[in-house]
Amino acid sequence: MRSRDIAIIGYGTAGQAASLYLQRAGHRIQHLEQAPELRPLGAGFLLQPTGLSVLDELGLGAAARGCGARIDRLYGENERGRTIMDMRYADLDPRWHGLGMQRGALFEVLRGADAHAAAVQTGVQVERIDAERGVYTTPDGREHGPFDLIVVANGAHSGLRALLGDAVRRDALYPWGAIWCLADDPHGRFAHDLEQRYRRAREMCGVLPVGTLPGDAASARKLSFYWSVRTAELDAVLAAGIEPVRAAVTRLWPDAAELLAPMTDVSAWRRASYRDVVMSQPFRGRVVLIGDAAHGMSPQLGQGVNMALLDAQALARSLDGHHALPDALADYARTRAAHLDIYQFLSRWLTPLFQSDHDALAWWRDLLFLPMSRMPIARGESLKILTGTKRGWFGRLLDAANRQD
């Protein structure tokens, strides 16, 4: 295998995992981060069997499980108490489960395994990249490189995606985002389920147990609480303060509203917006995009972090298996295509059922979603969607040899 000089732009999950894989494969890494310091961004998230299999391969699965919260079921009701979805991991495989985690927890698990974390260059803004020469330019006009490969892993809102030109088939901001916070659950009301409540498609809130940060006591376990908001209204909703949020949640889900009782303001709340990104191919010349930079999607299916981990794994394997860089990048794109394509399709078409102004769609959702998900063939496919293991229309990403305990 040829050892390559590789620059990685972005120190989120995709960049961190790629760095670990590529370091271990013997490549020389220069890692850049635009933020002035290394820190996690984003809400709690749900690791699926797919993402857990990658962490296990990196030797980090036990550390993740030690601070995460085991999730056995996804459950949702509408405002009238009608069950809309009820899906359990064990119905697909008795040894499978999800893992709710704080973004900061996974960040620290990955950083703790990164022997070169102290060498990451922070506060570095990349203005443009010459994909053919493998050179990036900073705002002061200085060129850096050449590199054998530049990995762009700086998130869904990446400004560097445009360098791939016509390969970017779709790059649009979703009209709905969310506000979120971490909350305590002193009475243990929420344990092993990701729960959601809906009022038509215009209101949605959810509660996900996300465990602790590494080293914290079990008593410090948190929940991630999120409330769906139109992207254009995110700033206004936060500016209005905690009371309107508390009142809206109380109307929809009184039990969950109790989690907000101790909050006197919105200082603990953050905003999140999402992009719908589709690319015909995620590479050009000596540049490859991974994670949300390559395939941003709605959070409805909860696959972002898992996709980022799988991208890092696949890229490292393709580089290991091919001497010529064009062959390696083409193999990476082919390896990931069937999995990514189906989730991008499903994310785009399912999102209006839960975040939109289309009341008629929500009516049909409430009527048909649960019974359809329990039909013999649809049941198995729905569970594959939930677990992140759906590959193409009827394939499966993980086989029995990859099942997680």
Side-chain angles (χ1 to χ4, degrees):
M1 184 198 73
R2 177 187 173 190
S3 179
R4 294 179 168 94
D5 291 305
I6 299 177
I8 301 175
I9 301 172
Y11 201 72
T13 299
Q16 287 180 292
S19 182
L20 289 179
Y21 269 113
L22 297 174
Q23 286 176 44
R24 294 178 185 186
H27 300 292
R28 296 174 294 276
I29 305 299
Q30 182 184 108
H31 209 145
L32 320 171
E33 168 55 48
Q34 181 174 338
E37 60 181 0
L38 300 183
R39 58 188 177 87
L41 294 175
F45 61 90
L46 184 58
L47 266 179
Q48 304 290 1
T50 49
L52 282 167
S53 72
V54 176
L55 293 181
D56 284 332
E57 185 174 88
L58 288 168
L60 303 176
R65 291 179 178 88
C67 54
R70 178 184 173 115
I71 303 299
D72 294 317
R73 181 176 71 149
L74 171 59
Y75 179 80
E77 290 182 0
N78 68 9
E79 75 278 14
R80 298 183 302 276
R82 181 190 179 104
T83 299
I84 307 303
M85 65 178 67
D86 187 355
M87 295 189 287
R88 301 170 187 266
Y89 288 85
D91 289 341
L92 185 61
D93 188 298
R95 290 175 289 181
W96 276 2
H97 62 84
L99 191 74
M101 290 190 74
Q102 297 180 42
R103 185 75 62 162
L106 181 60
F107 180 88
E108 292 300 337
V109 167
L110 291 169
R111 181 163 69 168
D114 185 357
H116 295 86
V120 176
Q121 300 176 34
T122 56
V124 179
Q125 181 177 349
V126 176
E127 191 167 83
R128 62 183 178 273
I129 300 175
D130 186 324
E132 303 309 317
R133 295 165 56 214
V135 170
Y136 70 84
T137 304
T138 46
D140 59 8
R142 293 180 59 193
E143 289 189 340
H144 303 262
F147 295 92
D148 297 308
L149 178 65
I150 298 177
V151 179
V152 176
N154 60 346
H157 301 292
S158 174
L160 299 174
R161 187 163 43 240
L163 74 90
L164 269 71
D166 292 342
V168 183
R169 292 165 48 194
R170 183 190 299 267
D171 185 358
L173 191 66
Y174 267 105
W176 290 75
I179 58 173
W180 65 272
C181 69
L182 293 176
D184 295 316
D185 184 17
H187 304 298
R189 158 68 176 80
F190 302 91
H192 300 296
D193 297 343
L194 165 56
E195 293 194 42
Q196 297 178 335
R197 296 294 184 274
Y198 324 103
R199 175 174 285 112
R200 298 184 293 278
R202 299 169 187 262
E203 294 186 25
M204 178 182 72
C205 63
V207 175
L208 170 67
V210 291
T212 69
L213 295 175
D216 283 355
S219 59
R221 288 183 174 271
K222 298 289 186 179
L223 304 168
S224 179
F225 189 102
Y226 52 92
W227 178 259
S228 181
V229 175
R230 289 181 179 84
T231 301
E233 299 174 3
L234 286 168
D235 291 335
V237 168
L238 288 175
I242 190 64
E243 290 307 326
V245 176
R246 196 192 330 265
V249 175
T250 300
R251 289 193 298 271
L252 180 59
W253 193 2
D255 279 359
E258 294 179 6
L259 300 172
L260 311 186
M263 300 180 186
T264 58
D265 55 39
V266 294
S267 59
W269 291 74
R270 300 290 182 268
R271 51 168 288 162
S273 58
Y274 307 94
R275 301 193 75 84
D276 183 11
V277 177
V278 178
M279 310 187 74
S280 59
Q281 67 176 34
F283 65 92
R284 175 184 170 191
R286 300 186 188 184
V287 176
V288 63
L289 276 65
I290 67 173
D292 286 344
H295 45 70
M297 61 185 79
S298 161
Q300 288 301 324
L301 298 177
Q303 298 297 327
V305 169
N306 302 279
M307 295 291 187
L309 292 168
L310 290 165
D311 285 355
Q313 179 191 61
L315 178 62
R317 289 179 177 177
S318 294
L319 291 172
D320 186 36
H322 297 271
H323 179 77
L325 183 65
D327 293 340
L329 297 183
D331 180 71
Y332 161 71
R334 284 193 301 270
T335 299
R336 295 293 295 125
H339 188 229
L340 288 170
D341 289 351
I342 190 64
Y343 277 94
Q344 288 187 304
F345 174 85
L346 291 170
S347 176
R348 185 176 307 114
W349 291 102
L350 285 175
T351 293
L353 298 178
F354 298 93
Q355 288 182 302
S356 73
D357 296 319
H358 303 302
D359 292 344
L361 288 178
W363 186 88
W364 284 109
R365 174 203 69 195
D366 292 358
L367 180 66
L368 298 176
F369 200 93
L370 183 66
M372 287 183 64
S373 70
R374 290 178 170 173
M375 294 174 65
I377 295 177
R379 179 170 173 269
E381 296 305 312
S382 297
L383 290 168
K384 284 196 289 185
I385 294 170
L386 166 66
T387 58
T389 58
K390 189 171 176 63
R391 186 177 186 273
W393 284 105
F394 296 105
R396 181 157 156 174
L397 191 65
L398 297 182
D399 57 27
N402 300 116
R403 291 176 181 173
Q404 305 303 301
D405 294 329

